[in-house]
Amino acid sequence: MYQGYYNLVSGMLTQNRNLNVISNNMVNVQTPGYKHDTMVSSTFDEEMLYRTGRHNKGNKTPLATTSKIKTASSTYVNYEQGSYQQTQGIYDFAIGGKGFFCIQTQDGERYTRNGSFSVDEEGYLTLNNLGRVLSADNQPIQILDENFFVDSRGNIVSETGEFGTLKVADFADYEQLHKEDNGLFSTAQPQIQPEGEEQPVIVWKALEQSNVNMIQEMTSMMSSQRALQSAAQLLKMYDQIMSKSATDVGRM
């Protein structure tokens, strides 16, 4: 009887966490460069059930394996590239292929696929006031002339000279990337500079759209909500049964 409580309550908590992940995906459906999250659940503390005799407890018979708790195992990020959206904004960039833009923040270097940049009061290319965009020589990019051109390799050039080359870094193991707020990623692993055919293409005056499928997220949300409601109804039934067993059956 009590195992039902464990199963239902842990299922409700897991579904609630899943709804939070789905809601975050839906909120960021219009965020440039946002990568879709998927929560994976698993069981916890699996145990073997045995059947024993009423008197002889030594000859036990294994029946099955059961687990009392369902829990959120981890959240996986889908790094699949999103489609391009032409914006005609001179400070908008998108990456075609693997890699991340490098941002100089107060907490150190961070990485993002969001190329919706702007310039600060000193003319430095920035991301949402989070930090300055780094060039290939690890220096902030200062743009002093709006009449510039950006080629497919990220070179920012104007008639007065070159302002720098957008730095794009890649990593060997995306599983070691830690997703932070505002579409930023951090990692302790060394950077890889893509070369040759793997070298990414910089698309100017465009943004990479989120890879969130809104229809899929709505379907997942409805399924998770129904599972949560069903568990809540069953938990209410368990509570009523336990109340009767403590009152009516107890008096007998």
Side-chain angles (χ1 to χ4, degrees), residues 186-240:
S186 63
T187 182
Q189 61 182 314
Q191 299 177 7
I192 298 176
Q193 300 301 326
E195 297 179 354
E197 295 182 356
E198 296 183 355
Q199 188 171 359
V201 175
I202 300 298
V203 182
W204 186 35
K205 296 183 179 181
L207 293 174
E208 179 186 359
Q209 293 183 310
S210 165
N211 63 359
V212 174
N213 187 322
M214 195 63 175
I215 297 178
Q216 180 180 348
E217 294 304 307
M218 292 180 65
T219 303
S220 298
M221 174 170 281
M222 288 187 292
S223 177
S224 187
Q225 284 179 334
R226 288 173 181 173
L228 179 61
Q229 292 171 354
S230 298
Q233 291 295 328
L234 286 175
L235 189 63
K236 185 178 180 180
M237 294 172 59
Y238 265 93
D239 184 63
Q240 293 174 350

Side-chain angles (χ1 to χ4, degrees), residues 51-57:
R51 181 175 62 190
T52 62
R54 298 181 62 182
H55 303 289
N56 185 6
K57 304 296 184 180

Side-chain angles (χ1 to χ4, degrees), residues 1 11 20 23-24 38 46 77 125 131 152 161-162 173 196 206-207 213 250:
M1 181 66 71
N20 290 336
S23 299
N24 187 59
T38 301
E46 292 188 349
V77 182
L125 200 62
S152 61
E162 297 183 2
D173 186 7
L207 293 174
N213 187 322

Side-chain angles (χ1 to χ4, degrees), residues 49-180:
L49 292 180
Y50 292 91
R51 181 175 62 190
T52 62
R54 298 181 62 182
H55 303 289
N56 185 6
K57 304 296 184 180
N59 297 324
K60 56 185 180 180
T61 303
L63 296 178
T65 301
T66 184
S67 60
K68 295 183 178 180
I69 295 177
K70 182 179 181 181
T71 183
S73 176
S74 58
T75 301
Y76 291 96
V77 182
N78 179 12
Y79 292 98
E80 181 180 353
Q81 181 166 344
S83 59
Y84 297 134
Q85 178 184 7
Q86 299 295 328
T87 65
Q88 300 305 317
I90 61 174
Y91 300 120
D92 290 340
F93 305 88
I95 299 177
K98 293 185 176 181
F100 301 83
F101 294 113
C102 301
I103 310 298
Q104 184 185 64
T105 70
Q106 296 180 351
D107 299 323
E109 190 169 343
R110 294 294 184 265
Y111 312 97
T112 184
R113 294 283 296 193
N114 184 0
S116 180
F117 301 145
S118 59
V119 292
D120 58 18
E121 297 178 352
E122 300 179 21
Y124 286 98
L125 200 62
T126 62
L127 172 65
N128 298 332
N129 297 319
L130 298 173
R132 291 175 174 175
V133 183
L134 293 177
S135 65
D137 56 359
N138 291 318
Q139 297 297 321
I141 299 176
Q142 187 178 29
I143 300 179
L144 302 177
D145 184 2
E146 292 186 351
N147 297 319
F148 61 86
F149 172 80
V150 183
D151 61 20
S152 61
R153 296 305 180 191
N155 298 308
I156 305 175
V157 184
S158 72
E159 296 181 355
T160 59
E162 297 183 2
F163 297 130
T165 302
L166 289 168
K167 179 182 177 182
V168 177
D170 198 12
F171 304 95
D173 186 7
Y174 280 16
E175 295 296 329
Q176 297 185 34
L177 292 176
H178 174 65
K179 193 173 187 179
E180 301 182 356

